[in-house]
DNA sequence: AGGGGCATTGTACTTTTGGGCAGTACCGGC
DNA sequence: GCCGGTACTGCCCAAAAGTACAATGCCCCT
């Protein structure tokens, strides 16, 4: 399996070569992708020397390629890990991680897994627990939705318009509206904005508070 | 690699056998471990028919063995996922996951990865983000917004209508619209739904895709 | 066979949203 | 003083969103 490394100056770190037989190094995400010969390589993003903006831009580009993206930071931190994983990265480690670990990470992300430092996993889980209403089993009202309604709701949660939803589900725009009306009724929401937020567990002015 | 399945009645589900050549099934964690012959098997915990207490007890026992533990739920939910992962599980999936997925999960957890449904990963990251202090500018484009525009954007992020925003800021609805148009233009967004999501760091169909 | 829930669509209507065009006003810099 | 950016507003218009009323078809259950 191919490993594509992207670092600011396109320079390779010795450990990468130690870890993998087949690895490509480039200074830009696009270059790396161009040099790739396999369908679904692992993209390693070295953030050394990059500011937040540059990092996010590269990350977005990398994630858009469809390949699993691992961010390698010279100074791994909770905040950065969170940012990167939230933006679609599936791995986060130290840029000087030992070859053995690099190989493990590669295996994990290629199989759909998420990899980060174990202590971060624990920490995030605990953090999440704090903000998830303890007794609440998800959004209870969500179970009231039919399968079809849920599909519509999920599209709205991603910012899709009625027209786009209709196209995606191969139904008429009128039907989308019908489903939406039903959803608003069941979940006690006013419009698609509130639905989009509710689907992402974000309280709204009128529903909560 | 050995797979140890623990289900309430010690009954095996056909998919498990489909997924793995070598799998052991038992009714108790201790039994499964006793039947194990490899040093570090993967422990699969079927929570069907278990109440929360029984589930946690088995999970604790399983985690204590040192092997990676994957919880398989007949009704996967955010709350349960959180609970289980927080208690040391490294995987969480549907009890009837397809064999292909089971194999992937096995590979991932054996290599130190974390596996859960992709949508849950995203959700947890977002939730964590809400409680981690924000030293970073977050969304860089947000700096492009004027103070007034930011106020409007924040209202939209809470699901407010133009009328409500106008009332809150003591300006006319027309002015709200003017600010919104400017915001959409600057942030390259289509409508208020996308803005509401963007303000909450949630990617939309068109912006991140 | 009938009833209820779900999915689907149509016509028609109101409301909300987004934006074009135009104008006023304040403020700060060259 | 002029110019550019920001804030604010009006009238008007088109598109999108949302609703009311109504109808068809399917499936499941009694």
């Amino acid at each position: 399996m191919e490993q594509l490394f992207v670092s600011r100056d396109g320079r390779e770190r010795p450990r990468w070569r130690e870890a993998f037989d087949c690895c490509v190094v480039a200074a830009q995400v696009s270059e790396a992708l161009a040099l790739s010969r396999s369908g679904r390589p692992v993209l390693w993003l070295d953030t050394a020397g990059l500011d937040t903006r540059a990092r996010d831009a590269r990350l977005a580009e990398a994630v858009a390629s469809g390949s699993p993206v691992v961010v390698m930071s010279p100074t791994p931190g909770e905040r950065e890990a969170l940012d990167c994983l939230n933006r679609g990265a599936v791995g986060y480690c130290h840029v000087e991680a030992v070859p053995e670990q690099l190989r493990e990470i590669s295996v994990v992300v290629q199989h759909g897994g998420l990899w980060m430092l174990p202590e971060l996993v624990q920490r995030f889980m605990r953090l999440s627990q704090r903000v998830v209403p303890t007794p609440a089993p998800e959004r209870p009202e969500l179970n009231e939705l039919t399968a079809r309604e849920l599909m519509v709701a999920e599209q709205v949660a991603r910012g899709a318009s009625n027209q786009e939803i209709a196209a995606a589900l191969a139904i008429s725009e009128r039907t989308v509206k019908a489903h939406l009306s039903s959803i608003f009724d069941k979940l006690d929401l006013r419009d698609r904005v509130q639905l989009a937020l509710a689907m992402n567990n974000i309280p709204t002015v009128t529903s909560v508070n």
Side-chain angles (χ1 to χ4, degrees), chain A residues 97-177:
Chain A
V98 294
E100 169 63 19
Q101 192 170 63
L102 292 180
R103 280 192 291 268
E104 298 248 303
I105 296 170
S106 171
V107 170
V108 166
V109 299
Q110 271 169 44
H111 289 84
L114 179 72
W115 201 100
M116 55 177 163
L117 300 172
E119 58 267 30
L120 285 181
V121 175
Q122 286 293 311
R123 186 136 167 62
F124 288 155
M125 288 305 129
R126 248 184 273 289
L127 283 173
S128 301
Q129 201 153 40
R130 284 229 305 275
V131 292
V132 173
T134 308
E138 303 243 349
R139 292 172 292 291
E141 316 95 349
L142 246 173
N143 300 330
E144 299 174 23
L145 300 187
T146 67
R148 209 59 171 157
E149 285 165 354
L150 200 53
M151 290 185 208
V152 173
E154 277 162 1
Q155 294 288 322
V156 171
R158 295 165 58 211
S161 67
N162 287 345
Q163 207 173 60
E164 288 168 337
I165 298 171
L169 301 187
I171 54 181
S172 80
E173 206 175 319
R174 180 62 190 84
T175 308
V176 174
K177 290 183 179 181

Side-chain angles (χ1 to χ4, degrees), chain A residues 160-205:
Chain A
S161 67
N162 287 345
Q163 207 173 60
E164 288 168 337
I165 298 171
L169 301 187
I171 54 181
S172 80
E173 206 175 319
R174 180 62 190 84
T175 308
V176 174
K177 290 183 179 181
H179 285 310
L180 278 174
S181 288
S182 174
I183 293 169
F184 296 153
D185 190 36
K186 287 180 179 177
L187 304 190
D188 192 29
L189 301 170
R190 243 191 324 182
D191 53 40
R192 62 199 304 110
V193 181
Q194 297 205 339
L195 174 58
L197 293 171
M199 290 294 293
N200 288 286
N201 265 354
I202 296 162
T204 50
V205 271

Side-chain angles (χ1 to χ4, degrees), chain A residues 1-78:
Chain A
M1 184 57 71
E2 201 171 21
Q3 313 292 331
L4 304 182
F5 288 86
V6 178
S7 68
R8 200 165 87 103
D9 49 9
R11 210 149 40 83
E12 170 180 311
R13 295 185 192 250
R15 297 209 152 163
W16 301 346
R17 180 68 63 187
E18 276 180 59
F20 305 105
D21 295 329
C22 174
C23 67
V24 173
V25 182
Q28 298 292 332
V29 174
S30 52
E31 287 176 38
L33 288 170
L35 289 169
S36 164
R37 280 152 310 161
S38 87
R40 199 160 173 280
V42 176
L43 259 166
W44 301 79
L45 217 58
D46 180 353
T47 66
L50 298 179
D51 61 16
T52 309
R53 188 193 316 277
R55 184 199 70 196
D56 289 345
R58 284 170 183 233
L59 182 50
E61 188 183 354
V63 169
S65 78
S67 294
V69 179
V70 180
V71 173
M72 313 171 74
S73 171
T75 55
E78 182 179 299

